[in-house]
Every structure is written in C-alpha cells, then in structure tokens.
Amino acid sequence: MIAADPPLASRLTNPALLKPPSQWGAWSPAPANFSVNDPATGGRIATVPDFEIAHVRHAIEQSHGAQKTWAAHTARTRADHLKLWFRLWLENIEDLATILTLEQGKPLAEARAEIRYGASYVEWFAEEARRLYGDIIPAPVSNQKILVTRHPVGVVAAITPWNFPNAMMARKVAPALAAGCSIVAKPAAETPLSTIAIANLAEQAGIPGEVFAVLPMTNAAAFGDEVTGNAKVAKITFTGSTAVGRKLMGQGAGQIKRFGLELGGNAPFIVFDDADLDAAVDGAIVAKFRNAGQTCVCANRIYVQSGIHDAFRDALATRIAQLRVGSGMNPDSEIGPLVSAASIGKVQALVADAVEKGATVVIGGRPIASQGHFFGPTLLTGAERSMKLATDEIFGPVAPIFRFETENEVVELANDTEYGLAAYLFSRSLSRIFHVADRLEVGMVGVNTGIISTEVAPFGGVKQSGLGREGSKYGLEDYTDLKYVCLQTQ
Ligand code: ADP
C-alpha cells in the first residue's frame, strides 16, 4: 500500500517504518493513491493511499471504542507505553530524519533536531501522565467535601502542517495519549510519511492502532468536515493557518467542540541599542533561517534601533552570505528548499512589493535556479509597515530590517498585527526587558535568544494566533475536562 521509491527505500535501515499501519487493514481499500515528492528535486519518493470521508468515519468509530479501554489503563501503564515509544523513536532517529528530510526538505541536522524535539514531548508527557493531579477544595459548609478530578476529553482529531511533520504530531499525540484520549490524525498531504513512521513505532510500543489512527488524504476539507461534525469527536487540535483554524472553529461551533489551535504568527524581533550585537545576530540567524524561514515562530519583522542599525545590518549580511543552500540530504546544507513552487512565488511577490515600496535588497532577493524550490537567503533594509511583509507571514528565508527610534514606538509597531504568537527582544537592560516583555501581546517571548521551543514550556499564542498551549503541564490539562464531586458526609 505504501510504495517507497528506491531513493527513499534504499536509504532506510528499518523499512518497516513505512509499512501500512495495521488498522488500515480493517478499512476498505482507499480508491486511489497520491505521490509524496522531494522538494529538493521535485521527484516522487513514495505513494500512499488517499483515504476518504468514509475511512475517517470508520476510524472515529474504532477510536471511540478504543478510547474507553485506553483510558481505563492506569496512568502508569499509559506512561510505560509512551516511554517505550520514546525509546523506539530515538533508536530510529537516523531513519526518521532521512524520511523527514526527503519529504520536507530541511537539512538532515535540523531533521535530527526535530526528531529529538518530537521525542522530548513523548518523554515529557509519559512523565506528566502520572501527575495529572486533582484538587480538594475547602467546602463552604462543614459536612461536605469538594473533590476535583481530571478526565480525558475523549476522541481527539489532529490536523498538522508540513513544516514540522514529526514534532507537530508529537506535540498533539503525546499529551492526548497521556491523558487517556485516543486520536485520529491527518498529517499534511505533502508530508504524511513521518506520521506513518511514528504510528508504526507506536504500535510496536503497544499503543493500539485504533488509539492512534493515521489518515493520509488529499481532501483535507473532507477530514475537517467530518471531525467537526461527528458527535464522537470531542476535541480538534490543529496547527496551520489562521484562515483554516477559523473555518474549523466555525464548523465545530454547532457541537461546542473543544479546540486547540496553533495558528499563524508574525513575530517581531527587536534589537535595542544596548543589545549584545553578536547574540542578536546569532538569534536572528536561528529565529529567521531555521527550516528556511518556514516556522510559525520565525522572526518576521526585525526591528533595529537606530544606534545599532548599521552594525547589526552589516554583521547579519556577513552571516547570511555564508549560509549554504542545497538539498537537505547534503550534510553541508544549512538552508533547504521551500516546500513548493507556490511558496517560491509567494516569497518572491513579498520581496517585489517591498522593493517597490522602497526597501533595499542587501543580499539575495530571488530564487536560485535549480531543479528544486530554492530561494536565496535574503536581507532587506528600509522595511516599512506599509509593505505586505509587515502583515503577512513570509514563510521563507527573507529578513526585513525596520529601523526604529524609541521603546514606545517599537512596542506599538510590534503589537500592530492580528497575530500574537512569539516575539524576541535583545537588550542588556533588565528593567527594559521586563517592561517590554510585559507589554508585548504574544504568548511567548525570547529574551536574548532566538530559540524558545521546549517541551517543558507552554507553546501557544494570543489574538488570532490561537487557543490553548502545547507542552508543559498546561499542555496536558488541555486534553482533560474537570469534574467536581460534592460529597455530603453526614
Ligand atoms: P499551510 O499554509 O501551512 O499549508 P493550512 O492551514 O492550509 O496551512 O494547512 C495545515 C493543515 O490543515 C494541513 O494538514 C492541511 O491539509 C489542513 N487543512 C487545510 N484545509 C483544511 C480544511 N478545510 N479542513 C481541515 N484541514 C484542512
């Protein structure tokens, strides 16, 4: 059912990672297949079944039954399965990274880091499964006890994007399973193989296929329609665009679905005059160019105070010029391809709009002619709020510098967006750090660092960037409902 083409199949030491997960055998065959392509070459690497709405319905039905058995296990048993899954995940890191790079494009070193990052959520939630504590609240009358307990919400539907095909799924499946939920998952059609691989490892770890079901399919809207309309689905956890998140939430309103939404971002990256220049440049490189700029927490608008502007621009230009662009499978590559030809077109249009409105291209600014979807790492100066890249997620390796003068001015500019996911600020002044971090309307702030994602902290946004948190103790609570019992003792 999954046909891995020779370039992929021959590279895996454990080809069983891409076997059809066992529960597919219980479903009627998919009427068609679709191709998974390598964005570095455009060539096909595998074909997978293209499931349809009837399969989604079937998976939900199975999941609904299986969830009750899964939830009836002790937290210890669920944790043991998750720990075994974590170990298998890391034992297969090279194969998982190869699959990820071939279907998504990011350099192998980044793919390995993503596999480790994804695994860290499985380990964390295996640990947290056993700490899903309740509460006893002092009652207002003397003969009562008030007990509060947490319960799994039930069947969860997960929808993930193509930019972190391993980690985005891990961040949803691990807490859901830890809490005692089951999960029906649709990975992005561009990158279904990473999810199929971890689902096979989950089965090997004793997690039943019905408890974590995977449905590769090209008709994303059909999946969305079914899971938002099916009464057996309790929660939808979605990572993707704000537009699709809004649509799903509207569709789910009729049944009061619970939602976890990780949506778009437009992160400001603020460099004050008193910043450590080297740290700010390092931070900008990682916050802007990781995954070729295709992350929701990527620095989208780089605000640099006048006094440090030229030094920062020159240092950043030097570093950008050294970035090596190429296929992710080449160990020297630091910037891989964008996911599609459409992405190249979008990034090119944003640069053209900025230049037309007065920005200067210091370096890059155009696609690199080759067989894949490569865009040259780009630095723009003279960026202004009227430019489209000030409001749109760039999702490509383009760093626009906006010059600013005062703290109040930059806070106002930074908050001038419908999004509120991440922000970064660089300064040596402790009072400024607290003052600015407090006023930024976002869910996450990186201070003097460009890397903020970790399984121990709550990842998520405010405003149109979403609802709920992934990771940390809060991420587990999002998969539970509270129940309160009022106990009269005499
Ligand atoms: P991106 O721009 O990152 O592709 P999308 O929001 O379009 O963002 O896609 C993120 C995920 O949402 C993908 O798995 C995609 O297939 C899925 N998706 C897109 N449209 C819908 C929809 N109407 N209902 C459910 N899922 C959808």
Side-chain angles (χ1 to χ4, degrees):
M1 299 225 284
I2 299 177
D5 288 350
L8 173 55
S10 65
R11 284 185 152 116
L12 301 182
T13 50
N14 179 10
L17 286 172
L18 292 183
K19 75 178 173 49
S22 69
Q23 88 272 19
W24 291 3
W27 304 344
S28 56
N33 292 318
F34 66 96
S35 300
V36 182
N37 300 322
D38 176 355
T41 62
R44 193 182 72 184
I45 54 167
T47 48
V48 297
D50 195 356
F51 289 113
E52 297 189 324
I53 201 157
H55 301 100
V56 183
R57 219 166 275 153
H58 193 163
I60 294 169
E61 202 60 44
Q62 290 180 317
S63 192
H64 192 249
Q67 187 264 327
K68 303 204 175 353
T69 314
W70 180 250
H73 289 312
T74 61
R76 169 77 187 243
T77 300
R78 289 199 302 275
D80 286 345
H81 287 299
L82 287 170
K83 280 187 217 158
L84 180 54
W85 193 23
F86 166 71
R87 285 198 293 277
L88 292 168
W89 194 300
L90 289 187
E91 277 168 21
N92 285 275
I93 185 167
E94 282 307 312
D95 278 352
L96 292 174
T98 300
I99 292 168
L100 176 41
T101 290
L102 280 172
E103 71 175 348
Q104 199 275 338
K106 71 183 57 175
L108 264 178
E110 278 191 39
R112 285 189 199 100
E114 179 179 339
I115 303 300
R116 274 192 290 273
Y117 175 64
S120 73
Y121 283 85
V122 179
E123 183 184 39
W124 171 264
F125 285 111
E127 293 161 350
E128 287 297 291
R130 302 181 64 200
R131 302 194 187 108
L132 200 49
Y133 301 132
D135 238 340
I136 299 180
I137 298 174
V141 288
S142 61
N143 63 345
Q144 284 187 351
K145 294 242 179 273
I146 292 179
L147 316 175
V148 181
T149 47
R150 289 194 172 272
H151 301 266
V153 294
V155 177
V156 174
I159 302 171
T160 52
W162 47 261
N163 60 345
F164 289 88
N166 178 284
M168 293 304 104
M169 194 56 87
R171 292 204 319 203
K172 299 177 183 315
V173 183
L177 297 184
C181 300
S182 58
I183 194 153
V184 174
K186 190 201 80 61
E190 293 87 344
T191 56
L193 303 177
S194 292
T195 302
I196 291 169
I198 58 171
N200 276 315
L201 292 176
E203 274 199 82
Q204 211 182 318
I207 297 165
E210 297 82 6
V211 169
F212 173 23
V214 177
L215 292 115
M217 51 196 286
T218 53
N219 189 349
F223 186 89
D225 290 348
E226 181 59 30
V227 299
T228 50
N230 191 315
K232 289 186 170 153
V233 175
K235 168 170 174 148
I236 287 104
T237 169
F238 169 76
T239 299
S241 60
T242 297
V244 173
R246 275 190 196 118
K247 181 166 183 276
L248 290 169
M249 210 173 165
Q251 290 178 192
Q255 293 188 2
I256 321 289
K257 297 289 190 216
R258 290 155 190 74
F259 276 94
L261 300 174
E262 299 289 353
L263 308 177
N266 180 2
F269 184 102
I270 306 169
V271 184
F272 287 102
D273 283 346
D274 63 359
D276 175 328
L277 180 65
D278 292 341
V281 172
D282 285 350
I285 289 289
V286 63
K288 178 70 250 181
F289 293 99
R290 192 162 61 101
N291 203 17
Q294 302 171 111
T295 88
C296 51
V297 292
C298 262
N300 209 56
R301 298 166 289 155
I302 301 180
Y303 293 109
V304 186
Q305 204 165 13
S306 268
I308 199 171
H309 179 278
D310 292 359
F312 179 85
R313 174 201 60 203
D314 294 347
L316 188 58
T318 303
R319 289 285 296 280
I320 292 174
Q322 291 163 356
L323 291 172
R324 293 185 298 266
V325 181
S327 161
M329 294 305 289
N330 178 343
D332 291 335
S333 296
E334 293 166 298
I335 303 281
L338 298 190
V339 70
S340 63
S343 296
I344 294 279
K346 182 192 153 193
V347 173
Q348 214 172 352
L350 288 174
V351 172
D353 171 78
V355 169
E356 198 184 300
K357 292 175 180 157
T360 303
V361 178
V362 179
I363 191 163
R366 62 178 69 89
I368 295 176
S370 95
Q371 53 183 353
H373 314 304
F374 294 93
F375 198 90
T378 298
L379 181 63
L380 302 176
T381 52
E384 299 282 348
R385 76 207 292 184
S386 61
M387 297 170 184
K388 285 200 183 102
L389 50 65
T391 47
D392 293 12
E393 253 186 313
I394 300 171
F395 248 61
V398 175
I401 295 184
F402 301 67
R403 186 193 284 265
F404 75 93
E405 304 295 333
T406 69
E407 190 177 301
N408 281 340
E409 175 197 359
V410 79
V411 169
E412 194 256 312
L413 285 167
N415 290 338
D416 183 22
T417 165
E418 64 173 355
Y419 296 113
L421 192 57
Y424 306 86
L425 76 98
F426 285 74
S427 167
R428 286 195 179 98
S429 155
L430 203 51
S431 63
R432 167 175 276 161
I433 287 169
F434 279 109
H435 196 219
V436 174
D438 263 2
R439 289 194 292 158
L440 290 171
E441 297 166 355
V442 292
M444 300 173 282
V445 183
V447 178
N448 295 328
T449 178
I451 302 183
I452 52 174
S453 298
T454 160
E455 77 281 9
V456 308
F459 187 106
V462 300
K463 293 161 79 175
Q464 307 291 297
S465 287
L467 288 176
R469 293 294 180 268
E470 292 189 334
S472 79
K473 63 177 180 177
Y474 307 104
L476 188 57
E477 290 173 0
D478 277 7
Y479 288 87
T480 66
D481 283 325
L482 289 176
K483 182 182 287 177
Y484 135 63
V485 174
C486 182
L487 179 68
Q488 186 105 350
T489 53
Q490 36 173 288

